[in-house]
Amino acid sequence: MIRKRVQRLAVFILIGIAILIIRLVQIQLMETKSFSDRDINLIEASVAQRSQEMILDNGRGKFYDRNDKPLTYETVPSLVLFPFLKNMNWDVEQLANIIGVPTKEITAALETSKEPFVLGGKNPIQLTDEQMEAINELQIPGVFAVHKQFERKTTPAAQLIGILGENPEQLKERYPDKDIPLNTLIGITGLQKSFDEFLLQEENTKLVYHVDGKGGPLFGIDVKYVDPSNPFYPVKINTTIDMEIQNEAEKIADKHKISKGGIVLLDIETNSILALVSRPNIDEKDPYANDGAKNLMVTAQIPGSVFKTVIAAAAIDNSLNNPDRVFDCSKTIRGTEDKVYDHGPLNFTDSFAVSCNYTFGTLAQELMEKDETIIETYASKLGLMDNVGWSGDVFHFKDFHQLADEEKGQVFLTNEERSDANFVAQTGIGQYNVRITPLGAANMMATIARGGKKEMVRAVSSIEYKNGSTLYSFPQESLGGDEISPYTAMKLQQLLREVVVNENGTGRLMQNLPYDVAGKSGTAQTYQKEDMQYENKWFVGYFPFDKPKYAMAIVKLDVPSEEGSVTPIYQDMVNYLYQYDHQ
């Protein structure tokens, strides 16, 4: 009886030992990098238990402006201190003398520290080259002068660049065949999202110091500076943004209190984005609150009279722009007396200058009698219907889009709308279901300024390897599809200039700017709340008129009708760009 009990006990012990061995094999050999359903990397965890580290660079690719200035971070010569210093006798006074900081400030920071930290935190003490050299010559364990990368407090063109986040489900969906830690940052919006696979982080650049069980330094083991050995990654994304212009555009937008809307500025020669401001700002605590993470410059909006440019192009090509023809601009679009704008009889050119709704509602109806698709055809010729951001095949990426969040434009939603005369008239003045993006509007102006040549808009010029060689260059590309003729473009140029030089033109307040401007205003009704009408207020155009260099769209969205136009914002931008070009 006793013998059987001993045998059973021995069996249970053997089974227990076998289970422990299997478990140890699982932990030590089989699942070292992905243990349990939380995918814990046991090797990294064990190293973390016996080391302290300071991340200097997270290893993800970075964005730069056209002058090679970093957009998303800044490198600061900083002092890094390890927490075990508070339990050591070391010459804190000598360090304090080098950096010019009171001793008690250094010791106080150490007392509250549990991990390696930069003295000064988010506002680090910036060291000189001489100070860095003197600090490192002290050779004090746990005291290091290094160049550390900090995220900018405010990212220029934040919505264009986009936001990052941890999303394990999205990570697995995007990269099912890659062995990537689940806490890897990925692009959620903007260029961070479009270029995510190029930007995926490699190994961190960091300082690593081995410590004993109490957190003290293991003397005899030097600090390790861990820098990825891969000469190609992380990559640089060279954007077309000019940070100096971008920063000024942000200041001007905030000066004029754009709460919803923004500014987009294009370089006409290269058809590239020089500056893009979208408001509201991104809220760091809740990026998706109040459309803060949304790039409203690539989001389709109601354009109002900006869309009359499309009707004008179609009218020119269909000989409806007879200078002797007169329209009764004392009437509303429905043919009733206009109690707000009584412009009297005007020809085609003057109608465009003062933005007469009756004229362009009438022309839209006449055009649709000729061809029920004509308005959409001309909107497409001017680049307003499809995405205008750069797209094409890049290596194994088929139909790669730089601006992944960009929306398309629209004119009519149903065939029934095309047969409704009132609906057609409203469409002719950019109301009802007409939608275009501010980027598309700016690109339309660039197209007209170039004589009708339609091109894709670039936000990124190239991707560069870590060693400085080029991974890929994004060439200037035609937008494709039909274009307006050079003659039509010339006529539109004259109309757009008339908006400014005509004594009654909607852009007449820009007559005395240092650059001659050509453009079109727009006011679109969006919704009514109680007794208040809300509107989108636009001005889009290009300058200088004789030698076009810039195309720009500025818009305030959903503002009370009594709020002023965006003309003062446009004036400030034109004045600044003139100074920028002549500095």
Side-chain angles (χ1 to χ4, degrees):
M1 188 73 176
I2 295 175
R3 184 178 180 182
K4 287 183 177 180
R5 288 180 179 176
V6 171
Q7 288 176 341
R8 288 174 185 166
L9 181 59
V11 170
F12 283 131
I13 292 172
L14 288 173
I15 291 173
I17 292 172
I19 291 172
L20 286 173
I21 291 172
I22 292 171
R23 186 63 166 167
L24 286 170
V25 170
Q26 180 187 19
I27 294 172
Q28 297 288 337
L29 300 176
M30 298 176 63
E31 297 184 8
T32 56
K33 293 185 178 181
S34 183
F35 179 68
S36 82
D37 57 354
R38 291 184 294 165
D39 287 337
I40 299 172
N41 190 316
L42 296 173
I43 295 176
E44 290 183 355
S46 65
V47 171
Q49 284 184 331
R50 60 178 186 272
S51 66
Q52 292 180 348
E53 62 182 38
M54 164 63 69
I55 304 298
L56 304 179
D57 180 354
N58 67 8
R60 185 174 172 85
K62 305 295 191 298
F63 291 89
Y64 293 77
D65 86 337
R66 66 173 182 168
N67 297 312
D68 205 35
K69 297 176 182 177
L71 291 169
T72 52
Y73 75 94
E74 53 186 339
T75 300
V76 179
S78 308
L79 175 62
V80 175
L81 300 175
F82 280 66
F84 56 71
L85 286 165
K86 58 190 172 187
N87 300 319
M88 292 174 51
N89 291 319
W90 61 287
D91 198 343
V92 64
E93 291 185 4
Q94 192 172 3
L95 175 65
N97 290 333
I98 293 173
I99 63 176
V101 171
T103 301
K104 61 181 180 180
E105 185 175 324
I106 300 173
T107 55
L110 281 168
E111 283 300 320
T112 59
S113 67
K114 294 181 180 180
E115 298 177 345
F117 66 96
V118 172
L119 189 62
K122 292 184 178 180
N123 297 301
I125 297 171
Q126 297 196 28
L127 306 174
T128 64
D129 291 341
E130 291 76 15
Q131 287 174 323
M132 291 186 71
E133 184 177 352
I135 290 168
N136 290 330
E137 283 180 354
L138 295 176
Q139 295 187 344
I140 300 173
V143 177
F144 305 100
V146 296
H147 288 91
K148 185 178 183 332
Q149 291 187 359
F150 291 85
E151 289 186 7
R152 290 189 180 277
K153 295 177 182 178
T154 303
T155 301
Q159 290 87 351
L160 175 65
I161 298 298
I163 60 177
L164 293 169
E166 291 183 15
N167 189 326
E169 292 183 4
Q170 186 67 41
L171 183 71
K172 288 181 179 179
E173 183 179 329
R174 284 189 196 176
Y175 311 112
D177 300 325
K178 290 190 176 184
D179 181 19
I180 307 174
L182 292 181
N183 63 348
T184 298
L185 292 173
I186 59 173
I188 307 298
T189 63
L191 297 178
Q192 293 279 18
K193 176 183 176 182
S194 303
F195 289 84
D196 192 55
E197 189 162 348
F198 294 102
L199 295 165
L200 280 174
Q201 64 194 70
E202 295 283 308
E203 185 181 354
N204 298 327
T205 300
K206 56 191 176 182
L207 289 175
V208 179
Y209 209 111
H210 291 281
V211 295
D212 59 25
K214 295 181 181 180
L218 284 176
F219 291 101
I221 302 178
D222 292 332
V223 66
K224 288 186 177 180
Y225 178 79
V226 179
D227 188 17
S229 58
N230 192 326
F232 301 109
Y233 293 92
V235 300
K236 287 174 60 179
I237 304 294
N238 295 314
T239 74
T240 60
I241 293 291
D242 186 304
M243 190 153 66
E244 186 176 337
I245 297 175
Q246 176 67 38
N247 288 339
E248 187 63 27
E250 306 252 9
K251 291 177 184 176
I252 289 172
D254 293 337
K255 169 189 169 184
H256 290 277
K257 299 179 180 179
I258 298 180
S259 58
K260 185 179 181 183
I263 302 169
V264 57
L265 176 71
L266 303 183
D267 178 285
I268 291 176
E269 182 179 357
T270 63
N271 218 48
S272 301
I273 299 174
L274 289 176
L276 186 148
V277 180
S278 180
R279 293 289 183 267
N281 281 312
I282 297 176
D283 184 342
E284 290 184 8
K285 295 180 180 178
D286 187 1
Y288 297 98
N290 303 317
D291 284 336
K294 198 171 187 179
N295 185 354
L296 295 181
M297 297 302 96
V298 297
T299 304
Q301 316 289 349
I302 306 174
S305 296
V306 168
F307 196 72
K308 289 173 184 173
T309 311
V310 173
I311 304 302
I316 291 167
D317 283 358
N318 286 271
S319 302
L320 298 180
N321 62 328
N322 187 334
D324 296 327
R325 183 181 179 183
V326 174
F327 299 87
D328 188 353
C329 289
S330 61
K331 292 181 178 180
T332 68
I333 195 169
R334 297 179 184 272
T336 59
E337 179 186 358
D338 193 330
K339 296 180 181 180
V340 180
Y341 300 107
D342 183 9
H343 293 297
L346 296 176
N347 63 18
F348 175 76
T349 299
D350 290 337
S351 291
F352 189 85
V354 305
S355 202
C356 174
N357 285 342
Y358 178 78
T359 300
F360 287 88
T362 301
L363 289 172
Q365 291 170 335
E366 293 176 3
L367 287 165
M368 289 292 284
E369 290 174 2
K370 292 174 175 285
D371 179 355
E372 66 176 10
T373 65
I374 194 168
I375 296 178
E376 287 146 310
T377 296
Y378 275 82
S380 181
K381 284 185 176 184
L382 288 167
L384 297 177
M385 295 296 288
D386 296 317
N387 295 144
V388 299
W390 195 99
S391 63
D393 295 342
V394 179
F395 302 125
H396 65 279
F397 300 96
K398 299 299 180 183
D399 197 26
F400 175 84
H401 287 256
Q402 286 192 2
L403 304 175
D405 304 322
E406 183 188 5
E407 295 180 357
K408 294 183 178 181
Q410 67 182 42
V411 177
F412 296 108
L413 293 183
T414 66
N415 286 326
E416 288 74 18
E417 294 172 1
R418 294 182 174 86
S419 58
D420 186 317
N422 180 56
F423 210 106
V424 168
Q426 290 287 337
T427 298
I429 64 169
Q431 288 286 165
Y432 279 171
N433 288 324
V434 180
R435 300 288 186 278
I436 66 174
T437 66
L439 177 66
N443 191 51
M444 173 175 70
M445 291 294 128
T447 298
I448 293 169
R450 280 193 298 266
K453 186 179 180 184
K454 196 168 54 170
E455 292 187 359
M456 295 179 183
V457 177
R458 294 184 303 169
V460 172
S461 58
S462 66
I463 307 173
E464 193 176 299
Y465 282 124
K466 180 181 176 181
N467 64 8
S469 60
T470 299
L471 170 59
Y472 189 84
S473 291
F474 295 91
Q476 285 184 244
E477 294 280 7
S478 168
L479 195 55
D482 293 336
E483 300 178 338
I484 59 172
S485 69
Y487 172 80
T488 305
M490 179 192 69
K491 287 294 184 181
L492 289 176
Q493 290 168 5
Q494 294 170 353
L495 288 175
L496 294 168
R497 180 60 179 154
E498 191 68 21
V499 169
V500 175
V501 299
N502 189 298
E503 63 180 9
N504 295 314
T506 56
R508 60 187 178 278
L509 294 180
M510 288 188 272
Q511 288 179 3
N512 297 318
L513 293 176
Y515 278 144
D516 291 336
V517 175
K520 183 73 188 77
S521 62
T523 302
Q525 295 182 350
T526 55
Y527 68 93
Q528 188 162 339
K529 187 176 181 180
E530 298 175 352
D531 295 330
M532 180 65 70
Q533 178 66 55
Y534 289 83
E535 299 173 338
N536 292 344
K537 295 178 181 287
W538 299 69
F539 197 90
V540 302
Y542 68 90
F543 50 93
F545 177 67
D546 291 331
K547 295 180 179 180
K549 183 173 184 179
Y550 301 108
M552 183 166 63
I554 297 180
V555 59
K556 283 186 175 182
L557 300 170
D558 296 328
V559 295
S561 58
E562 61 190 22
E563 188 168 318
S565 72
V566 297
T567 300
I569 311 174
Y570 215 94
Q571 290 173 311
D572 281 358
M573 282 296 299
V574 173
N575 280 322
Y576 164 73
L577 289 165
Y578 180 84
Q579 293 172 2
Y580 174 86
D581 290 338
H582 293 82
Q583 60 187 358

